[in-house]
Amino acid sequence: MGDLSEPASNVGAGGAVIAPSQEQVVTPWDVKGGSDGKIDYAKLSREFGCSSLKTDDRDLVARIEQLTGKPAHCFLRRGFFYAHRDLEAILDAKERGEPFYLYTGRGPSSEALHLGHLVPFIFTKWLQEVFDVPLVIQITDDEKTLFRALELEEAYRLGKENIKDIIACGFNPDKTFIFSDFDYVKGEFYRNVIRIQRSVTMNSIRSLMGMTQEDNIGKIAFPAVQAAPCFPTSFPHIFGTRKDVRCLIPCAIDQDPYFRMTRDVAPKLGYFKPALVESRFFPALQGESGKMSASDPTSAIFVTDTDKQIKTKINKYAFSGGCATIDEHREKGANLEVDVSIQYLRFFLDDDAELKDIEERYKRGDLLTGEVKARLIEVLQAVVGKHREERAKITDAVVQQFTAERPMTSYIDAFSHKQVQEQVVAKGKVKNKK
Amino acid sequence: MGDLSEPASNVGAGGAVIAPSQEQVVTPWDVKGGSDGKIDYAKLSREFGCSSLKTDDRDLVARIEQLTGKPAHCFLRRGFFYAHRDLEAILDAKERGEPFYLYTGRGPSSEALHLGHLVPFIFTKWLQEVFDVPLVIQITDDEKTLFRALELEEAYRLGKENIKDIIACGFNPDKTFIFSDFDYVKGEFYRNVIRIQRSVTMNSIRSLMGMTQEDNIGKIAFPAVQAAPCFPTSFPHIFGTRKDVRCLIPCAIDQDPYFRMTRDVAPKLGYFKPALVESRFFPALQGESGKMSASDPTSAIFVTDTDKQIKTKINKYAFSGGCATIDEHREKGANLEVDVSIQYLRFFLDDDAELKDIEERYKRGDLLTGEVKARLIEVLQAVVGKHREERAKITDAVVQQFTAERPMTSYIDAFSHKQVQEQVVAKGKVKNKK
């Protein structure tokens, strides 16, 4: 899976999807804002055909709270995850007591993760916790070999390092299976890859993702490898031969084309369409139009940064929405929508009351940028410090625990297979069974 | 691997390679003769860029006899295998006592094999015997799922059936590894697939094999799966991590595009280019311009045919080069080059003296077609009878013996790894090692 929140530009699949230069472009490998450098997220989800989590007559965030009995994660409350496909079908299944599972992933293109990489995993961890469901995490070391000038051995090594950072997010070891494609593509998984590849033409890959004839054949075929984890039979050690387990994918919205393709194919193969809950992109320190890049250490806070580095980076690089002089700032206040410190606090300061207080005082000019940054530095030092602490505990034995192909049926077994099967078939939700 | 001797038409990859209707067309999925319906083999190998086994200043068949101390197989003596790539490098390696291995395969598109399917395996069995080398046989059940309207499960099942017929050809169980792609694509094999896919663009696949944008993405990527067995690291249980073991592929010449691609890629990945020894196509009962088809029982002799069926088919369908009336035949004699019975005898009657005698008498008109057919029927009944007998002995345990991933190092170990490595590197034959 591509980086879930920091799509790299110019590494991608050619230019067939290219729009006029002032139009925004979002593919799994290329994200360009519109003429103001910003992404119009409403337009994006409209064009992709996703639905909003909150509309006038429907609030899925409230429904999640009601179903789980837990307050929504701040990424949901604050609209960072804002779009979805078929999330209602997942919530309906939950309500009926039917099984589903989560699927997310990472393309291992860098040694250390930055906060943007962490965000989808933090959210997925929360989803796993409140729904108490199995989770599969795909490390697409094969994708990074195909799409980047990265040797296979290096992509594999980076993946193994990244797995430790992912585990440090706190996933449930009894319900989480993390796999490198180079280790796991085989058997039932490979069979699903072939079934998917057989159902997708080069033409549709071109129009969905902008592949061209100049691309290598691995790039062209890879989307099927990212699609295969959407189908439960790709994990026989978890789901056996069951085809009727739904899949929910938390991801950044640039990954949507992969799963639009998968959703087209799923019914033909007798599977449920995967559901999605989709996020905006995590901003670079330089602001929304900037690009976070693992190769530019000034663009992001890394989980390997020291307290001192965090302090320096925020003070030096975090784009300020405050005014140029103190006097002007006291008079006019800050522009919160471009201020990166406020954006970052919205992610990592869970306390709604404190956040609201900071926003209001900053907006009025009562708080200076330096003061907001000081609070952000504290918050991020705590987040990164906690991660550092957890990461240090991840031994090879722990990695082995998460990556072993082991039975994970306690959840699924809680349901009478036959009963669920009948319910589902009666509702006509699984068609074209072979 | 596609059927090695009976390329199916119109199942293929689209039409980008299409030539004017009177031109011959040969791709791994489509074989069409020229305006006379015949394949011009000299032209084909010239266009592909292969070399002849026998030229004025070089006779590789004689060199094989000299190196192995065995008389050449009649498929070689009689020019059925007629072209090659780098066979001299294999023979040089043999002379120096360096290891190499054989690779062939089958695309499982039908339940029972016909004689045309058997021919490359008979030859490969002979090569294994006289060179005493390891052999890998790929069953491309994934290819048949991607290229034909064959369900995955059916392609897999047919592959398993075909394996029994292949084993019945008499391969050495200690030195032969037979694998279904659905079972074996994984690990080091998959890594090589990705390395190869990364090195080949859609453009080159299109010009080599005629793939188009309408083709499914699995077809486009599949050539890398057929290429991977050319590299010894795809079989760690046989070759460990050695990259310096050469590969020789006996196959029908329509498979050449796959291996031209592989030979382009090999040096970039630090492997030897695979060598090839390439055959003409095995003729249908209706003659060279006819098409053998597993779905048309009158076009071929199957290994499941009874003695009676063989007799009926040969008498009824084998195209005759004899004249219309006995008187005319006695006077003018037979045209051996279009006579299918003579073609088949050239494959299956090993006795050169008897064959020569039959040919001469038939050509003069001393022998009638019926008499030649009578002898052919005897010969084929013996060949098929022997196969039937051997096939009956192939239990599941025998299949397990051939398909188990097991060490097979006795041959390779006989050489000092280091010494061979040094020799080879000194000769500059392994380049671009990573």
Side-chain angles (χ1 to χ4, degrees):
Chain A
M1 188 173 286
D3 301 326
L4 289 178
S5 57
E6 180 240 13
S9 62
N10 303 325
V11 292
V17 160
I18 292 307
S21 62
Q22 70 276 22
E23 293 268 319
Q24 65 183 6
V25 172
V26 175
T27 75
W29 311 282
D30 200 5
V31 172
K32 285 202 193 80
S35 47
D36 58 353
K38 289 184 180 176
I39 303 292
D40 181 340
Y41 286 104
K43 187 178 170 210
L44 193 56
S45 66
R46 213 164 47 237
E47 284 175 357
F48 280 1
C50 316
S51 309
S52 292
L53 283 179
K54 290 186 183 193
T55 60
D56 291 343
D57 56 352
R58 195 181 44 182
D59 181 346
L60 292 185
V61 176
R63 190 161 173 226
I64 289 172
E65 290 188 321
Q66 172 237 318
L67 271 171
T68 65
K70 305 271 165 59
H73 192 277
C74 69
F75 295 173
L76 276 175
R77 295 198 309 269
R78 297 174 188 162
F80 177 63
F81 277 84
Y82 81 110
H84 79 98
R85 291 179 185 273
D86 267 356
L87 181 59
E88 282 164 310
I90 294 286
L91 300 179
D92 291 348
K94 167 75 181 168
E95 202 159 57
R96 290 193 301 268
E98 289 168 17
F100 73 93
Y101 69 104
L102 296 165
Y103 158 36
T104 191
R106 156 143 183 91
S109 52
S110 67
E111 183 97 28
L113 306 193
H114 55 54
L115 291 180
H117 295 136
L118 224 54
V119 152
F121 290 112
I122 293 171
F123 185 60
T124 303
K125 189 246 174 210
W126 180 82
L127 286 173
Q128 181 181 47
E129 202 171 84
V130 300
F131 284 106
D132 190 30
V133 287
L135 160 65
V136 295
I137 301 178
Q138 181 181 42
I139 307 297
T140 56
D141 37 18
D142 50 354
E143 179 208 9
K144 291 305 169 196
T145 306
L146 291 166
F147 283 76
R148 299 213 175 200
L150 206 59
E151 287 310 313
L152 185 153
E153 291 75 12
E154 180 64 1
Y156 183 69
R157 189 189 68 78
L158 291 175
K160 292 287 171 189
E161 283 306 305
N162 291 176
I163 285 175
K164 294 179 186 169
D165 278 311
I166 291 168
I167 294 173
C169 293
F171 295 104
N172 181 343
D174 295 330
K175 292 191 174 153
T176 304
F177 174 54
I178 308 180
F179 62 99
S180 133
D181 283 344
F182 282 130
D183 287 338
Y184 190 68
V185 172
K186 63 179 177 180
E188 293 302 326
F189 191 102
Y190 181 62
R191 288 165 199 230
N192 276 335
V193 168
I194 293 291
R195 287 185 183 105
I196 298 160
Q197 287 183 346
R198 187 189 184 198
S199 309
V200 179
T201 64
M202 167 71 186
N203 263 336
S204 61
I205 285 291
R206 191 181 56 160
S207 65
L208 269 171
M209 307 196 196
M211 311 283 193
T212 73
Q213 307 252 12
E214 280 73 43
D215 281 309
N216 74 53
I217 57 175
K219 278 188 189 179
I220 290 165
F222 173 76
V225 179
Q226 181 153 328
C230 299
F231 302 148
T233 57
S234 295
F235 305 98
H237 57 286
I238 307 177
F239 304 110
T241 57
R242 291 189 61 166
K243 296 182 88 173
D244 63 338
V245 185
R246 289 178 186 275
C247 174
L248 172 63
I249 304 164
C251 64
I253 194 155
D254 63 308
Q255 300 293 307
D256 190 78
Y258 276 120
F259 301 117
R260 248 181 292 158
M261 179 202 86
T262 314
R263 287 168 54 85
D264 277 352
V265 170
K268 296 178 204 162
L269 302 182
Y271 296 110
F272 286 122
K273 293 181 177 188
L276 297 160
V277 53
E278 300 178 302
S279 77
R280 298 159 194 263
F281 306 126
F282 188 80
L285 281 173
Q286 285 74 15
E288 200 189 328
S289 59
K291 282 196 169 42
M292 273 198 307
S293 163
S295 56
D296 176 7
T298 71
S299 69
I301 304 292
F302 287 81
V303 297
T304 46
D305 284 348
T306 62
D307 284 358
K308 199 175 156 207
Q309 285 173 315
I310 293 170
K311 187 176 175 186
T312 307
K313 281 190 188 179
I314 295 296
N315 282 332
K316 200 161 169 186
Y317 303 112
F319 188 82
S320 169
C323 295
T325 67
I326 291 187
D327 286 348
E328 195 189 347
H329 184 76
R330 293 286 185 210
E331 190 196 331
K332 296 186 182 165
N335 176 351
L336 301 191
E337 294 323 302
V338 301
D339 190 278
V340 166
S341 300
I342 289 294
Q343 313 300 320
Y344 278 28
L345 281 171
R346 286 175 183 164
F347 282 95
F348 295 107
L349 182 60
D350 191 55
D351 183 331
D352 287 339
E354 187 189 352
L355 179 68
K356 192 175 170 215
D357 179 59
I358 291 173
E359 287 185 348
E360 285 176 357
R361 289 160 62 210
Y362 192 31
K363 193 174 183 180
R364 280 200 308 266
D366 295 353
L367 277 182
L368 297 178
T369 296
E371 292 167 307
V372 176
K373 285 190 169 182
R375 179 63 181 127
L376 175 64
I377 288 164
E378 279 175 7
V379 167
L380 292 187
Q381 283 172 344
V383 167
V384 173
K386 170 113 189 304
H387 186 87
R388 192 186 304 127
E389 206 173 286
E390 294 301 321
R391 173 66 147 87
K393 296 178 195 160
I394 311 303
T395 59
D396 288 348
V398 174
V399 171
Q400 173 58 24
Q401 191 182 8
F402 278 89
T403 55
E405 290 167 40
R406 64 224 191 262
M408 207 188 297
T409 48
S410 56
Y411 178 78
I412 302 296
D413 286 349
F415 303 89
S416 154
H417 184 168
K418 193 161 167 297
Q419 182 200 333
V420 173
Q421 203 54 299
E422 277 165 3
Q423 269 185 11
V424 172
V425 172
K427 285 184 166 250
K429 295 262 171 84
V430 173
K431 284 173 187 159
N432 305 311
K433 280 224 167 196
K434 298 217 175 94
Chain B
M1 189 172 288
D3 302 324
L4 290 179
S5 57
E6 180 239 13
S9 63
N10 302 323
V11 294
V17 161
I18 292 305
S21 62
Q22 71 275 25
E23 292 270 317
Q24 66 183 5
V25 173
V26 176
T27 74
W29 310 282
D30 200 5
V31 173
K32 284 201 193 84
S35 47
D36 58 354
K38 290 185 179 174
I39 302 292
D40 180 341
Y41 286 103
K43 186 178 169 210
L44 193 56
S45 65
R46 215 165 43 238
E47 283 176 358
F48 279 2
C50 315
S51 308
S52 292
L53 283 180
K54 291 188 184 194
T55 59
D56 292 343
D57 56 352
R58 196 179 43 184
D59 182 347
L60 292 185
V61 176
R63 188 161 175 224
I64 289 172
E65 290 188 322
Q66 172 236 318
L67 270 171
T68 64
K70 305 270 166 61
H73 193 276
C74 70
F75 294 174
L76 277 176
R77 294 199 309 269
R78 296 174 188 163
F80 177 63
F81 278 84
Y82 81 109
H84 79 99
R85 290 179 186 273
D86 267 355
L87 180 59
E88 283 163 310
I90 294 286
L91 300 180
D92 290 347
K94 167 74 182 169
E95 203 160 56
R96 289 193 302 268
E98 288 168 18
F100 74 92
Y101 68 104
L102 296 165
Y103 158 38
T104 192
R106 156 143 183 91
S109 52
S110 67
E111 185 98 27
L113 306 194
H114 54 53
L115 290 182
H117 293 136
L118 224 54
V119 151
F121 290 111
I122 293 171
F123 184 60
T124 303
K125 189 247 175 210
W126 180 82
L127 286 173
Q128 181 182 48
E129 204 171 83
V130 300
F131 285 107
D132 189 31
V133 288
L135 160 66
V136 297
I137 301 178
Q138 180 180 44
I139 306 297
T140 58
D141 37 17
D142 50 354
E143 178 208 8
K144 290 305 168 196
T145 306
L146 292 166
F147 283 77
R148 299 213 175 200
L150 206 59
E151 286 312 312
L152 186 153
E153 292 74 12
E154 180 64 0
Y156 183 68
R157 188 188 69 76
L158 291 176
K160 292 287 171 191
E161 283 306 306
N162 291 176
I163 285 175
K164 294 180 187 170
D165 278 310
I166 291 168
I167 293 173
C169 293
F171 294 105
N172 180 345
D174 295 331
K175 291 190 174 156
T176 304
F177 174 55
I178 307 181
F179 62 99
S180 133
D181 282 344
F182 282 132
D183 287 338
Y184 190 69
V185 173
K186 64 178 177 180
E188 293 301 325
F189 191 103
Y190 181 62
R191 287 166 200 228
N192 277 335
V193 168
I194 293 292
R195 289 185 182 105
I196 298 161
Q197 287 182 346
R198 187 191 184 196
S199 309
V200 178
T201 65
M202 168 70 185
N203 263 336
S204 60
I205 285 292
R206 190 181 54 160
S207 64
L208 269 171
M209 308 198 196
M211 310 284 193
T212 74
Q213 307 251 10
E214 280 73 42
D215 281 310
N216 74 52
I217 57 175
K219 278 188 191 180
I220 290 165
F222 173 76
V225 178
Q226 181 153 329
C230 299
F231 302 149
T233 57
S234 294
F235 306 97
H237 57 287
I238 307 177
F239 304 110
T241 57
R242 292 187 62 167
K243 296 182 89 174
D244 63 339
V245 185
R246 290 176 187 276
C247 174
L248 173 63
I249 304 163
C251 64
I253 194 155
D254 63 308
Q255 300 292 307
D256 191 78
Y258 276 121
F259 301 115
R260 249 181 293 159
M261 181 203 86
T262 313
R263 288 168 54 86
D264 277 351
V265 170
K268 297 179 202 158
L269 302 182
Y271 296 110
F272 286 121
K273 294 181 177 187
L276 298 160
V277 53
E278 301 178 302
S279 76
R280 299 159 191 263
F281 307 127
F282 188 80
L285 282 173
Q286 287 72 16
E288 201 190 327
S289 59
K291 283 196 168 44
M292 275 198 306
S293 162
S295 56
D296 176 7
T298 71
S299 69
I301 304 291
F302 287 81
V303 296
T304 46
D305 284 347
T306 61
D307 284 358
K308 198 176 156 207
Q309 284 172 316
I310 292 171
K311 187 177 175 186
T312 307
K313 281 190 189 179
I314 295 296
N315 282 331
K316 200 162 168 184
Y317 302 112
F319 188 82
S320 168
C323 296
T325 66
I326 292 186
D327 288 348
E328 194 190 345
H329 184 76
R330 294 285 184 211
E331 188 197 330
K332 296 186 182 165
N335 177 351
L336 301 191
E337 293 324 300
V338 301
D339 189 279
V340 166
S341 300
I342 289 295
Q343 313 299 320
Y344 278 29
L345 281 172
R346 285 175 184 166
F347 282 97
F348 295 107
L349 181 60
D350 190 55
D351 184 330
D352 288 337
E354 186 188 352
L355 180 66
K356 192 177 170 213
D357 178 61
I358 292 173
E359 287 185 348
E360 285 176 358
R361 289 161 61 209
Y362 192 30
K363 197 173 181 181
R364 280 199 307 267
D366 294 353
L367 278 181
L368 297 178
T369 296
E371 291 167 306
V372 174
K373 285 189 171 184
R375 179 64 182 128
L376 174 65
I377 289 164
E378 278 175 7
V379 167
L380 292 186
Q381 283 173 343
V383 167
V384 172
K386 171 112 188 305
H387 186 88
R388 192 186 303 126
E389 207 173 285
E390 295 300 321
R391 173 67 149 85
K393 295 178 196 160
I394 312 302
T395 60
D396 287 349
V398 174
V399 171
Q400 173 59 24
Q401 192 183 6
F402 279 90
T403 57
E405 290 166 39
R406 65 221 190 263
M408 207 189 297
T409 48
S410 56
Y411 177 77
I412 302 296
D413 286 349
F415 303 89
S416 154
H417 184 167
K418 195 162 166 293
Q419 181 201 333
V420 173
Q421 201 58 293
E422 278 165 3
Q423 269 183 9
V424 171
V425 171
K427 285 182 168 255
K429 295 261 171 83
V430 173
K431 285 173 186 158
N432 304 309
K433 280 224 164 191
K434 291 200 182 107

